[in-house]
Amino acid sequence: MRLKVLGCSGGIGGVQRTTSFLVGRHTLIDAGTGVGELSVAEMAQIDQVFLTHSHLDHIALLPLLIDTVGAMRSQPLTVYASVATLDALGKHIFNWQIWPDFRQIPSAAQPFMRFCALEVGESLALPDKLTVTALPALHTVPAQGYQLDSGQGSLVFTGDTTVNDSLWPILNQMDALRGLIIETAFCNRERELAQASRHLCPAMLAAELAKLKRPTEVYITHLKPGEIELTMQEISEDAAAFHPKMLKNGQILEF
């Protein structure tokens, strides 16, 4: 199984795109501005989107994705997320004021989009032999990460999160953990801001990674534009034992 990074930045500007990963040909993890990297033909092949949480940088292009390709598809696009996240999308985005409710278009019987709850601890096996499991995350809104299991190995994406003791025992039980994509949004001098917004800074990241007992590749996502070099330098110093690498747009990970 292949994961292609469409966007992994904590902001926009120039080539920066916010969080979205294409898994295989039919699955998106989050739907930030990175979705715009796909062609219309590629977008039309997306059958399901798994959302980590409701913040704009992770859902920004979901409304436009459905509007663009809904009529090209024979089946509705399924949006998986926690009940809380789906409730937020229904109330604040697909509410006919910000955007049409594509759960009712062209009809409630045959919509372009449907919501389906997937809570922490629940798994879903997809037709392409990918199994997606929702993992715990701690953020300012209800949030979760995901384990992507190809049957040969697993890749974990934490989503937006802060210090999260409940995650690491789960990861430590994964026999074939191929990679961990984990956020670090702020540099160390902004630690108080990281704590208030329930993100990580390099020192906090290092303390979290110390709880990981399985060897795996570690990739850093959600870096803020303007602080990328400083934050990665601090990560290389604070978490040197784990050799973290910066995730990049267009990068492909296999698992």
Side-chain angles (χ1 to χ4, degrees):
M1 188 65 65
R2 287 156 51 99
L3 177 147
K4 183 176 182 180
V5 180
L6 304 177
C8 56
S9 176
I12 59 171
V15 299
Q16 303 298 325
R17 305 286 184 268
T18 66
T19 305
S20 187
F21 306 135
L22 176 66
V23 185
R25 291 184 300 162
H26 305 296
T27 302
L28 284 179
I29 307 298
D30 279 340
T33 62
V35 173
E37 296 293 304
L38 296 174
S39 68
V40 172
E42 289 171 322
M43 285 190 246
Q45 294 186 70
I46 302 300
D47 291 330
Q48 52 268 329
V49 180
F50 292 85
L51 298 177
T52 58
H53 64 294
S54 59
H55 280 166
L56 191 61
D57 54 332
H58 294 256
I59 62 102
L61 287 195
L62 177 63
L64 291 172
L65 168 66
I66 296 166
D67 189 31
T68 299
V69 302
M72 301 177 187
R73 296 175 45 79
S74 60
Q75 298 293 327
L77 186 150
T78 303
V79 179
Y80 292 96
S82 69
V83 170
T85 295
L86 295 176
D87 185 56
L89 289 176
K91 286 182 178 179
H92 304 298
I93 302 294
F94 297 102
N95 60 4
W96 297 102
Q97 298 178 45
I98 301 300
W99 207 246
D101 186 352
F102 282 97
R103 295 171 296 174
Q104 306 294 324
I105 296 175
S107 70
Q110 294 181 312
F112 287 162
M113 175 186 71
R114 70 185 185 105
F115 285 175
C116 189
L118 188 71
E119 300 287 357
V120 169
E122 295 180 342
S123 298
L124 180 69
L126 300 177
D128 57 3
K129 298 183 180 180
L130 175 70
T131 299
V132 181
T133 302
L135 302 176
L138 291 175
H139 197 38
T140 54
V141 294
Q144 55 198 38
Y146 291 106
Q147 175 191 2
L148 311 174
D149 185 352
S150 68
Q152 299 182 8
S154 288
L155 185 65
V156 167
F157 173 44
T158 65
D160 285 7
T161 191
T162 187
V163 174
N164 184 11
D165 287 336
S166 61
L167 175 66
W168 303 102
I170 300 172
L171 269 60
N172 289 333
Q173 293 177 3
M174 294 181 189
D175 291 331
L177 181 60
R178 304 287 188 234
L180 170 64
I181 301 173
I182 186 169
E183 70 119 277
T184 305
F186 296 99
C187 61
N188 280 332
R189 69 168 178 251
E190 296 176 328
R191 180 168 184 150
E192 291 186 2
L193 179 57
Q195 291 172 325
S197 59
R198 306 199 93 178
H199 282 287
L200 296 173
C201 69
M204 296 166 69
L205 170 71
E208 286 296 278
L209 289 177
K211 303 168 188 174
L212 179 62
K213 307 305 178 184
R214 296 260 179 202
T216 193
E217 297 290 330
V218 177
Y219 301 94
I220 305 302
T221 188
H222 213 283
L223 295 160
K224 293 291 186 182
E227 297 182 346
I228 294 173
E229 292 184 1
L230 172 60
T231 305
M232 281 306 304
Q233 177 61 36
E234 291 178 344
I235 289 172
S236 68
E237 294 170 355
D238 293 348
F242 297 91
H243 308 289
K245 304 175 182 67
M246 183 176 73
L247 204 63
K248 297 178 181 179
N249 286 0
Q251 187 171 355
I252 292 175
L253 304 180
E254 295 185 348
F255 60 99

